[in-house]
Amino acid sequence: MGISDLIPTGKRQAISRPILVGRAIDFGIVSKDVVDPDRAVRQLIADARKNEVILFNPSGGYFKPDVTSVEDMQELGKYIRAEDRRAISIFSNLKFAKKFYEDYKADRLEVKTLYEE
């Protein structure tokens, strides 16, 4: 049994993270002795998302989309658009950092101290 087995199908059946954390501990998916069980569950969800679709709705919680539900599939579309925008933003932010690092490695940066004017 894994974390995805505890996540229901359908937005209307969504499970809140506190309840999900409790169930994950009850079923032995997360140890009750772990320092931060909430973080452990979030990591398990991130890992599970590599193989299946798990959505989060702030007003309901985690759920797997029901392919027969127009509302769920619309939520999936929103999720995809949001993640695409986030990925584009991350790569855009990395562009300058990569260029700066390449300039550093190629010794093309001029080093200044706080005392130089």
Side-chain angles (χ1 to χ4, degrees):
M1 173 175 271
I3 196 71
S4 66
D5 296 315
L6 301 178
I7 298 173
T9 298
K11 180 178 177 181
R12 295 174 192 261
Q13 306 302 321
I15 184 171
S16 70
R17 193 160 63 226
I19 292 173
L20 184 58
V21 169
R23 288 187 182 166
I25 291 170
D26 290 346
F27 282 93
I29 297 169
V30 171
S31 170
K32 64 181 176 182
D33 300 324
V34 72
V35 174
D36 188 350
D38 184 75
R39 179 153 177 74
V41 165
R42 284 185 284 128
Q43 184 59 54
L44 289 171
I45 291 168
D47 292 343
R49 281 179 165 159
K50 295 174 185 171
N51 297 310
E52 60 187 304
V53 178
I54 298 172
L55 301 177
F56 178 76
N57 180 294
S59 64
Y62 291 96
F63 67 98
K64 296 178 220 171
D66 178 349
V67 297
T68 65
S69 166
V70 172
E71 182 181 13
D72 283 11
M73 298 316 289
Q74 288 172 340
E75 286 287 326
L76 177 57
K78 287 179 192 175
Y79 169 77
I80 291 168
R81 288 187 297 279
E83 290 297 296
D84 277 345
R85 285 190 302 271
R86 191 169 73 110
I88 288 167
S89 176
I90 289 168
F91 281 114
S92 177
N93 293 342
L94 275 175
K95 188 184 289 185
F96 180 78
K98 286 180 177 182
K99 182 186 179 313
F100 188 82
Y101 186 65
E102 289 302 316
D103 287 345
Y104 163 77
K105 288 189 338 186
D107 201 26
R108 292 187 296 253
L109 295 178
E110 186 177 322
V111 179
K112 294 184 180 181
T113 67
L114 291 174
Y115 304 105
E116 291 180 29
E117 290 287 333

